Amino acid sequence: MIFGETAVVLNLLSIVAFSVLLMIVVVSAFIHLKGDSLSRYSASSRRQFYWLLALSPWFVGLLAVTLLLFSGSQYFPLLGVFELLHWHHPEEFVFSSWHSLSLGVAVAYGSFLIMRSVKKLIVNHCRVKQLHALAEPDKNNFFQLDANAPMAFTAGYFRPQCYMTSTLHSQLTAEEYTIVRLHENEHARCADPFKKWFFQLLTAFFPLAIARQLNHAMSLAMEQNADAAVVRVITDKAKIAMTLLKVKRLSLGIHDHYRLEQDALCHFGQPDREQDTISERIHYLLSDEKESVLPIYFIMLAAIPLSLVCALSADLFHHVIEYSLSH
Amino acid sequence: MNLGELEKLVLNYFWRVEIADTKQVYAYFEKQRGGSLNTIQSTLDRLFKKGLLKRHKEGHAFQYRAATQRKAFIGQLLKEVTEDFTLADEDSLLTAFVSLSTGLNQRQLDKMEKMIQDYRQKMIAKDAPSNALEDKK
């Protein structure tokens, strides 16, 4: 058993863990029920919203703990509102309790997910570094790779660079090349590879199906954002859409080369989603409708009542568990 | 597979010269970046063990050559990078212009092309009256 400040910190951490879990359930339910209806909003707006969703368990968890901490303080302006929140043996932490067990499981699982993601980042970083060593920059600093697969992509986590294979370059007209270059430059400018990795790390705490849905949605929003950056320079949207389609057709030529890995992966509903990706990008590009914008700051305000609910639920959950264990 | 800086340089050398023995490689790199014969010897040995160089004995010396051509090697690296992207989730880390996913067939792409052409026609038709008005002016 631990007493004092260390016990307070450990108790707070167990409340954070509970709040994170609760928020994961709430966000998962929201994505499951309403995830598909978000497509009518602008790409940049959706992008912000997905970040908010992925960060919300941690944000709300910290806010819930802050509320609990201050609920007993005389300096807290809304003291009366938080009378419901009261601490149970905050300066006492028992290692053989359910608090300790749940905190232990949460820390172990969290550490495992973080280490797995960091390992993936390091392995991929090394491979991209190798690839980079064999690439030659052209006059636009677009790195050219001497390979048969028609590909263009942005890679690198800390200094992202744009790559295009010689096969793809040889099949594009000057205008199409510019479209691909502008698209990839936007990914590099926004540091999208690193952001994708970090987003994946955050969503790894969600159930697998929800994590995939969130990652797919974020990926689509990033691509649409990069397409929108091209439109700011090249106003012929049909030309951009045709370039997308042309590169897709070329990539289908190497389809068989990658088939083995793709088939061995058992992607849950992935083929349908991919169909949506390219067609959604084209539909979004060609759409004349005025884009709706999500009220992000208003949604952020929802974190306050949610934190209160989490803090109250932690309290309620505590009562339920202690009651059932002692009776 | 990890490649050191010198290993990459040596591999690039073999993609240019096709076949060489240790002394020839050393003679080339001595001028370029210095180093000892032993360093070159061990680099060639490592590349051979990694399967990136092939060798056969001629007299007392080994003759080395690249096991794979440049394009094939880069293709393999690209495949490894894409595997990292595709193993966890198809859309994960790669910010590719289009994904390598195979979820679309030719017919669906044709349908999309038709849609783009219709859009283009619509835009031309929309612009036509205003162009005519400008011509009149």
Side-chain angles (χ1 to χ4, degrees):
Chain A
M1 194 184 291
I2 295 179
F3 295 100
E5 282 178 9
T6 317
V8 173
V9 171
L10 290 171
N11 278 319
L12 285 176
L13 280 175
S14 65
I15 293 169
V16 171
F18 177 80
S19 302
V20 167
L21 187 68
L22 200 69
M23 275 307 292
I24 284 172
V25 173
V26 171
V27 172
S28 299
F30 173 78
I31 288 294
H32 181 69
L33 297 170
K34 292 277 170 195
D36 291 336
S37 65
L38 294 169
S39 57
R40 67 174 187 273
Y41 295 101
S42 74
S44 57
S45 184
R46 263 181 287 137
R47 199 174 156 144
Q48 286 177 333
F49 185 60
Y50 294 135
W51 276 114
L52 195 66
L53 286 181
L55 284 165
S56 62
W58 305 99
F59 183 59
V60 168
L62 289 176
L63 206 59
V65 162
T66 313
L67 288 177
L68 273 166
L69 261 179
F70 284 100
S71 63
S73 162
Q74 56 173 313
Y75 303 109
F76 200 66
L78 300 169
L79 189 64
V81 181
F82 300 109
E83 271 172 2
L84 279 168
L85 302 173
H86 52 279
W87 281 79
H88 298 263
H89 47 78
E91 290 175 349
E92 181 188 316
F93 190 84
V94 186
F95 278 110
S96 56
S97 68
W98 67 273
H99 274 261
S100 167
L101 183 73
S102 54
L103 184 61
V105 169
V107 169
Y109 186 61
S111 307
F112 163 72
L113 290 177
I114 291 168
M115 280 195 292
R116 194 181 64 174
S117 275
V118 170
K119 188 187 164 207
K120 193 176 165 189
L121 177 89
I122 293 168
V123 167
N124 193 257
H125 176 70
C126 291
R127 284 181 176 160
V128 171
K129 234 172 112 182
Q130 275 185 25
L131 206 59
H132 187 76
L134 299 166
E136 299 287 339
D138 67 5
K139 60 179 190 300
N140 296 306
N141 215 24
F142 205 135
F143 284 84
Q144 306 293 305
L145 289 162
D146 196 11
N148 290 325
M151 286 174 78
F153 59 93
T154 304
Y157 298 101
F158 308 108
R159 284 180 59 202
Q161 302 283 3
C162 308
Y163 300 87
M164 183 188 279
T165 60
S166 51
T167 305
L168 179 63
H169 197 169
S170 66
Q171 307 214 36
L172 296 178
T173 64
E175 197 182 17
E176 286 165 348
Y177 166 81
T178 308
I179 290 170
V180 177
R181 184 174 59 80
L182 290 170
H183 176 98
E184 295 304 332
N185 278 349
E186 181 63 11
H187 281 311
R189 195 187 65 78
C190 297
D192 281 345
F194 182 79
K195 284 179 184 166
K196 270 193 161 187
W197 172 80
F198 188 57
F199 190 77
Q200 261 191 31
L201 173 61
L202 293 172
T203 53
F205 290 86
F206 289 79
L208 194 60
I210 299 296
R212 278 197 174 143
Q213 200 176 339
L214 275 170
N215 278 298
H216 171 81
M218 176 56 104
S219 184
L220 177 65
M222 281 179 172
E223 294 303 331
Q224 287 173 333
N225 225 34
D227 290 340
V230 182
V231 177
R232 288 196 283 275
V233 182
I234 295 171
T235 47
D236 185 358
K237 290 179 178 179
K239 183 75 204 169
I240 300 168
M242 280 305 250
T243 307
L244 254 173
L245 215 53
K246 180 176 176 178
V247 178
K248 185 71 204 178
R249 277 190 204 278
L250 289 169
S251 79
L252 279 179
I254 56 153
H255 168 301
D256 293 337
H257 182 63
Y258 289 90
R259 179 118 215 152
L260 185 67
E261 296 90 51
Q262 303 270 334
D263 284 353
L265 301 177
C266 307
H267 295 296
F268 175 67
Q270 204 58 37
D272 290 340
R273 292 214 166 275
E274 166 57 20
Q275 184 182 336
D276 288 344
T277 304
I278 196 102
S279 62
E280 274 190 74
R281 276 174 73 183
I282 291 176
H283 276 289
Y284 186 78
L285 258 175
L286 306 181
S287 171
D288 290 330
E289 284 172 32
K290 203 174 179 295
E291 292 169 338
S292 311
V293 177
L294 280 156
I296 296 293
Y297 296 108
F298 185 71
I299 295 167
M300 277 174 87
L301 283 177
I304 297 167
L306 275 170
S307 316
L308 189 60
V309 169
C310 281
L312 283 169
S313 305
D315 195 57
L316 186 74
F317 187 67
H318 184 98
H319 275 294
V320 170
I321 293 280
E322 304 262 299
Y323 180 84
S324 52
L325 287 182
S326 52
H327 299 280
Chain B
M1 176 182 29
N2 275 322
L3 280 180
E5 204 51 46
L6 183 59
E7 287 176 333
K8 268 179 246 163
L9 291 172
V10 171
L11 207 52
N12 265 314
Y13 169 82
F14 277 102
W15 282 328
R16 285 197 306 273
V17 301
E18 257 182 57
I19 195 158
D21 63 16
T22 312
K23 281 184 180 165
Q24 285 169 317
V25 181
Y26 170 64
Y28 177 81
F29 282 104
E30 191 193 16
K31 284 180 220 159
Q32 298 274 313
R33 64 191 298 276
S36 68
L37 183 68
N38 270 347
T39 313
I40 295 296
Q41 178 70 67
S42 57
T43 306
L44 290 172
D45 202 45
R46 275 199 308 275
L47 286 171
F48 169 72
K49 282 176 183 162
K50 285 178 183 176
L52 297 172
L53 291 183
K54 283 182 178 172
R55 70 184 182 193
H56 66 276
K57 216 164 193 176
E58 267 186 27
H60 290 294
F62 280 117
Q63 294 287 330
Y64 290 89
R65 64 194 161 85
T68 48
Q69 286 311 301
R70 187 182 164 86
K71 266 194 174 180
F73 181 71
I74 294 176
Q76 179 60 35
L77 271 179
L78 263 175
K79 203 177 158 192
E80 282 177 7
V81 169
T82 352
E83 269 175 23
D84 289 340
F85 299 133
T86 52
L87 274 174
D89 177 73
E90 193 144 343
D91 284 307
S92 54
L93 299 176
L94 185 71
T95 51
F97 187 67
V98 295
S99 87
L100 288 166
S101 170
T102 56
L104 281 170
N105 59 35
Q106 211 62 38
R107 197 175 52 79
Q108 288 164 316
L109 290 173
D110 289 343
K111 214 170 141 185
M112 268 184 252
E113 189 167 343
K114 171 90 175 54
M115 190 183 81
I116 299 168
Q117 278 162 355
D118 289 346
Y119 172 83
R120 195 168 258 164
Q121 292 299 322
K122 203 176 90 184
M123 286 293 118
I124 292 169
K126 209 172 162 185
D127 290 343
S130 58
N131 287 344
L133 208 67
E134 273 175 24
D135 288 346
K136 269 185 185 176
K137 280 180 186 173

